[in-house]
Amino acid sequence: MAIISEMQEEKRPSVPFEASLDPSNPLGFLEKAFDFIGKESDLLLKDSAEKDIATAVTAAKKRLSEAEKKKKAEKETVKPIEKKSTKESLPPMEPMEVEKPKKESLKPTEPMEVDKQEEEKSGPIVPNKGNGLDFEKYSWTQNLQEVTVTIPVPSGTKSRSVTCEIKKNRLKVGLKGQEPIVDGEFFNAVKPDDCFWNIEDQKVVSVLLTKQDQMQWWKCCVKGEPEIDTQKVEPESSKLSDLDPETRSSVEKMMFDQRQKQMGLPTSDEIEKQDMMKKFMSQHPEMNFSNAKFN
């Protein structure tokens, strides 16, 4: 998990995690994972621990749901090979020379110029409100699952005038007969089949990119452009209340047990056993438990 790995970058020696998954008891595997995380990092002691773990669980469930839907669709839908609709498919792209974006397109817009000198000294740039960066000719935003590239174009631009090529590791967008507005290699791989573009109000080209690794924040959209400080990214509000009751209960129990262990206190199971023993002792006052040893 990328969120966990980022939070463990505190110059600690890497320790191998050794545990095997028993399909009949997946929660046991998660408890071992939380024990390991608690020993090797401070993640569970942070105020944002619940939100970060809930975000990871939500993303994992979303990926699983999408994979199941895709499998089901592949089984139920028979796609004819010979009968391809020419209307639905885009015309083949004409070969164009690959040119690097002009330097001016990689300059942050005016709102970013205030702290330009400070940012050049400190390195990474503070991200915009969408956890991305704004440039003169385009901007990009992101969440853990997707990246959105927004490119202003002349008013009245038709979709047939736009050229957009999305590959696993590269993006090329522009207007026909002109130099590409965005042309470069992604910071990380995307899923081309789950990416698409459209033109909004005939004046803005919007490109939606689905990340292949949906647990990592991108430092830049295209390699070579200024990088943002991912430590200052503000993730979407994801709470335990967003999870289904069963998942929420399991996550809360594991987090409570882990915190209890770190403070040397009994876990929820141990508390339950102690309560049962106290109840039994109160129901049998005639019995002497003074010399009894309890595990």
Side-chain angles (χ1 to χ4, degrees):
M1 295 170 64
I3 294 179
I4 295 176
S5 63
E6 285 185 9
M7 294 184 177
Q8 289 180 326
E9 294 177 0
E10 298 181 0
K11 298 183 179 180
R12 300 185 178 185
S14 59
V15 178
F17 173 61
E18 298 179 357
S20 57
L21 173 62
D22 180 0
S24 64
N25 184 25
L27 289 181
F29 178 83
L30 283 177
E31 288 178 355
K32 291 180 181 179
F34 273 98
D35 287 344
F36 179 80
I37 293 168
K39 293 176 182 177
E40 300 300 326
S41 76
D42 298 328
L43 171 63
L44 299 176
L45 296 177
K46 296 184 178 179
D47 294 336
S48 61
E50 292 185 2
K51 184 168 70 175
D52 294 339
I53 292 174
T55 299
V57 173
T58 301
K61 294 188 70 174
K62 181 180 177 182
R63 291 197 301 274
L64 180 60
S65 176
E66 290 177 351
E68 289 178 351
K69 288 180 182 178
K70 193 171 182 180
K71 279 186 179 179
K72 187 176 180 181
E74 289 175 353
K75 290 181 180 179
E76 296 179 354
T77 306
V78 179
K79 297 182 180 179
I81 299 176
E82 298 179 357
K83 297 181 181 180
K84 271 193 173 182
S85 174
T86 55
K87 292 182 180 180
E88 294 179 357
S89 60
L90 293 173
M93 299 289 181
E94 297 180 0
M96 297 180 69
E97 293 183 0
V98 177
E99 296 182 3
K100 294 182 178 180
K102 290 184 177 181
K103 292 183 179 178
E104 61 182 13
S105 68
L106 298 180
K107 294 179 181 179
T109 51
E110 291 182 1
M112 305 294 293
E113 289 179 357
V114 178
D115 301 323
K116 184 176 179 181
Q117 293 181 352
E118 182 179 347
E119 289 165 355
E120 288 179 351
K121 293 179 181 179
S122 59
I125 300 173
V126 177
N128 59 21
K129 292 182 179 180
N131 297 322
L133 205 57
D134 301 317
F135 299 112
E136 290 182 1
K137 293 191 175 182
Y138 69 96
S139 63
W140 67 279
T141 59
Q142 66 172 323
N143 54 38
L144 277 174
Q145 292 78 38
E146 301 167 341
V147 173
T148 301
V149 181
T150 305
I151 307 166
V153 293
S155 182
T157 299
K158 306 289 185 181
S159 59
R160 61 174 175 269
S161 302
V162 178
T163 61
C164 183
E165 183 179 346
I166 304 173
K167 295 183 179 180
K168 181 179 179 181
N169 295 300
R170 194 173 189 86
L171 175 66
K172 186 176 182 180
V173 187
L175 299 176
K176 289 182 179 178
Q178 300 181 23
E179 293 183 355
I181 300 173
V182 182
D183 184 10
E185 184 180 352
F186 289 129
F187 174 78
N188 225 331
V190 301
K191 301 177 181 178
D193 293 339
D194 296 332
C195 301
F196 64 88
W197 68 274
N198 67 332
I199 187 164
E200 301 174 357
D201 300 327
Q202 296 186 342
K203 60 182 180 181
V204 175
V205 175
S206 179
V207 184
L208 180 67
L209 308 167
T210 301
K211 296 179 181 180
Q212 196 168 76
D213 181 357
Q214 299 190 346
M215 296 302 296
Q216 182 181 23
W217 295 105
W218 285 17
K219 294 183 179 180
C220 61
C221 179
V222 176
K223 290 183 179 179
E225 68 183 19
E227 295 186 351
I228 64 169
D229 185 353
T230 55
Q231 298 296 324
K232 296 182 179 179
V233 162
E234 296 181 2
E236 295 176 312
S237 57
S238 179
K239 302 177 182 178
L240 288 175
S241 56
D242 297 333
L243 304 175
D244 60 83
E246 184 178 356
T247 305
R248 175 181 175 179
S249 177
S250 299
V251 172
E252 287 178 337
K253 179 179 180 297
M254 287 186 290
M255 294 182 67
F256 173 80
D257 289 346
Q258 183 59 41
R259 287 177 176 173
Q260 289 291 98
K261 288 180 181 178
Q262 289 183 336
M263 293 186 290
L265 300 174
T267 63
S268 55
D269 290 336
E270 292 170 345
I271 292 174
E272 184 179 356
K273 291 177 182 178
Q274 290 176 2
D275 290 341
M276 290 174 62
M277 181 56 66
K278 289 178 181 178
K279 185 177 180 181
F280 178 79
M281 292 171 66
S282 64
Q283 292 175 347
H284 299 276
E286 73 280 0
M287 299 180 66
N288 183 8
F289 295 93
S290 58
N291 295 322
K293 292 183 180 180
F294 302 100
N295 293 327

